[in-house]
């Protein structure tokens, strides 16, 4: 490519005008000063009986340890053969050295007082705790709030009260919040077309961190090898969940936003979780009504 390199936003705007094959191509971006950073892969919404096995195969071949945030409702609802397959996949995750966390029970907004009562929110969390306990995992465990609702800063006092309540509830049950720094938008047919550039930009701006993907989309499994190669060609290293926490606590210039409590930017920012992006330009309304929530997170 000649001339000035395109930004992720430029790529999105261009591709949105003329849809093309959205398969990813290997690219690389060197951060300012040639710096490289640790990256931890994480996956939400699974396990999927068809997609998660492919993701695990790719990670095994690439020697990468990831975190899988389990939608625990899927462990009790659905066809018996699918429920058994999901539980077997969790056992495989354990054997292969991945970290397993909770993505709650139903995929609700835990800090939305207009759609969820505090009582129903707590019932949802308790159901998740019960199913996670059946997996015999050592605590503490990571917990990722669906949509980031419960972790994000809320502009509505009633919502922030619910967020505080939810945060205290998960901590009391032996969990710690685990957000993301690098959002691949792999669920968005438009925004994922900016990959891998969009992810590489975020790695540089956040100085490494936790990358969010979803192990329920065929596109994600199809393109994961290319993303991995792009990150590595850009000089970065994939690390495990304990390693990214150690980096944040002991080696980073400042702690990663993803591993802090309630430090996310207001909902609707371009890159949710980046403090330097939080400002008046961000939409602080309901997650499901913001411009950048086109699918499931």
């Amino acid at each position: 490519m000649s001339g000035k390199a395109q930004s992720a936003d430029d790529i999105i705007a261009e591709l949105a005008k003329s849809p093309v094959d959205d398969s990813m191509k290997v690219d690389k971006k060197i951060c300012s000063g040639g710096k490289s950073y640790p990256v931890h892969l994480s996956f939400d919404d699974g396990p999927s009986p068809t997609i998660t096995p492919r993701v695990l195969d790719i990670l095994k071949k690439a020697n990468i340890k990831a975190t899988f945030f389990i939608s625990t409702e899927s462990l009790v609802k659905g066809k018996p053969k699918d429920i058994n397959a999901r539980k077997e996949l969790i056992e495989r995750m354990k054997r292969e050295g991945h970290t397993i966390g909770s993505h709650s029970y139903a995929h609700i907004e835990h800090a939305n007082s207009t759609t969820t009562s505090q009582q129903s929110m707590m019932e949802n969390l308790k159901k998740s705790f019960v199913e996670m306990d059946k997996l015999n995992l050592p605590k503490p465990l990571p917990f990722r709030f669906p949509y980031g609702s419960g972790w994000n800063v809320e502009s509505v006092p009633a919502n922030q009260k619910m967020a505080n309540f939810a945060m205290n509830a998960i901590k009391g049950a032996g969990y710690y919040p685990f957000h993301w720094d690098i959002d691949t938008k792999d669920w968005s047919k438009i925004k994922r077309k900016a990959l891998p550039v969009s992810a590489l930009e975020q790695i540089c701006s956040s100085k490494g961190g936790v990358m969010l993907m979803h192990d329920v989309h065929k596109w994600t499994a199809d393109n994961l090898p290319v993303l991995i190669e792009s990150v590595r060609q850009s000089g970065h290293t994939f690390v495990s969940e304990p390693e990214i926490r150690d980096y944040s606590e002991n080696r980073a210039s400042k702690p990663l936003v993803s591993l802090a409590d309630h430090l996310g930017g207001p909902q609707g920012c371009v890159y949710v979780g980046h403090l330097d992006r939080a400002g008046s330009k961000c939409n602080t309304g309901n997650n499901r009504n913001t411009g950048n929530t086109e699918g499931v997170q």
Side-chain angles (χ1 to χ4, degrees), residues 64-84:
I64 294 173
K65 307 302 181 189
T67 295
F68 289 86
F69 289 95
I70 306 300
S71 291
T72 52
E73 185 178 42
S74 70
L75 302 181
V76 295
K77 291 188 176 182
K79 297 179 180 178
K81 68 174 184 178
D82 289 338
I83 292 174
N84 290 334

Side-chain angles (χ1 to χ4, degrees), residues 40-44 67 69 102-103 142-153 167 170 176-183 209-213 241 244 256-267 271-275 287 297:
H40 178 63
L41 277 177
S42 65
F43 298 87
D44 286 5
T67 295
F69 289 95
S102 174
H103 199 40
F143 186 102
R144 177 171 286 162
F145 288 101
Y147 310 104
S149 177
W151 182 88
N152 285 317
V153 171
M167 184 66 74
I170 68 164
Y176 51 91
F178 203 95
H179 198 64
W180 59 84
D181 305 284
I182 304 147
D183 190 348
V210 179
M211 183 178 291
L212 169 64
M213 302 192 82
E241 190 263 350
I244 199 66
L256 292 170
V257 172
S258 60
L259 304 182
D261 291 358
H262 288 307
L263 288 178
Q267 299 163 3
Y271 297 130
V272 175
H274 285 211
L275 288 175
N287 266 343
Q297 292 185 325

Side-chain angles (χ1 to χ4, degrees), residues 76-244:
V76 295
K77 291 188 176 182
K79 297 179 180 178
K81 68 174 184 178
D82 289 338
I83 292 174
N84 290 334
R86 294 182 186 111
K87 292 179 178 178
E88 289 173 3
L89 284 167
I90 291 173
E91 292 304 312
R92 178 182 172 184
M93 293 171 191
K94 292 181 186 178
R95 292 194 304 271
E96 296 182 359
H98 300 292
T99 298
I100 298 169
S102 174
H103 199 40
S104 199
Y105 188 75
H107 203 281
I108 66 169
E109 292 179 283
H110 290 73
N112 187 340
S113 59
T114 62
T115 62
T116 308
S117 69
Q118 184 168 298
Q119 180 180 351
S120 63
M121 178 263 284
M122 193 62 214
E123 289 174 353
N124 195 66
L125 288 175
K126 286 181 177 178
K127 288 180 181 179
S128 175
F129 300 155
V130 168
E131 295 308 317
M132 289 295 291
D133 285 347
K134 294 177 183 178
L135 301 179
N136 297 315
L137 297 164
K139 290 184 178 179
L141 294 169
F143 186 102
R144 177 171 286 162
F145 288 101
Y147 310 104
S149 177
W151 182 88
N152 285 317
V153 171
E154 299 287 340
S155 61
V156 177
N159 290 352
Q160 187 60 56
K161 182 179 179 180
M162 288 184 68
N164 294 339
F165 188 87
M167 184 66 74
N168 289 334
I170 68 164
K171 288 183 174 181
Y175 296 84
Y176 51 91
F178 203 95
H179 198 64
W180 59 84
D181 305 284
I182 304 147
D183 190 348
T184 62
K185 306 287 186 184
D186 60 337
W187 44 266
S188 169
K189 292 182 179 180
I190 294 296
K191 293 183 179 180
R192 70 190 183 195
K193 292 178 180 180
L195 289 169
V197 174
S198 59
L200 299 176
E201 287 180 344
Q202 291 176 75
I203 292 172
C204 294
S205 63
S206 64
K207 299 183 179 179
V210 179
M211 183 178 291
L212 169 64
M213 302 192 82
H214 300 79
D215 57 321
V216 292
H217 302 303
K218 179 179 180 295
W219 186 93
T220 298
D222 289 344
N223 290 276
L224 181 57
V226 176
L227 180 61
I228 289 171
E229 182 63 19
S230 296
V231 171
R232 284 178 165 165
Q233 283 198 19
S234 298
H236 309 299
T237 305
F238 287 102
V239 299
S240 67
E241 190 263 350
E243 288 171 328
I244 199 66

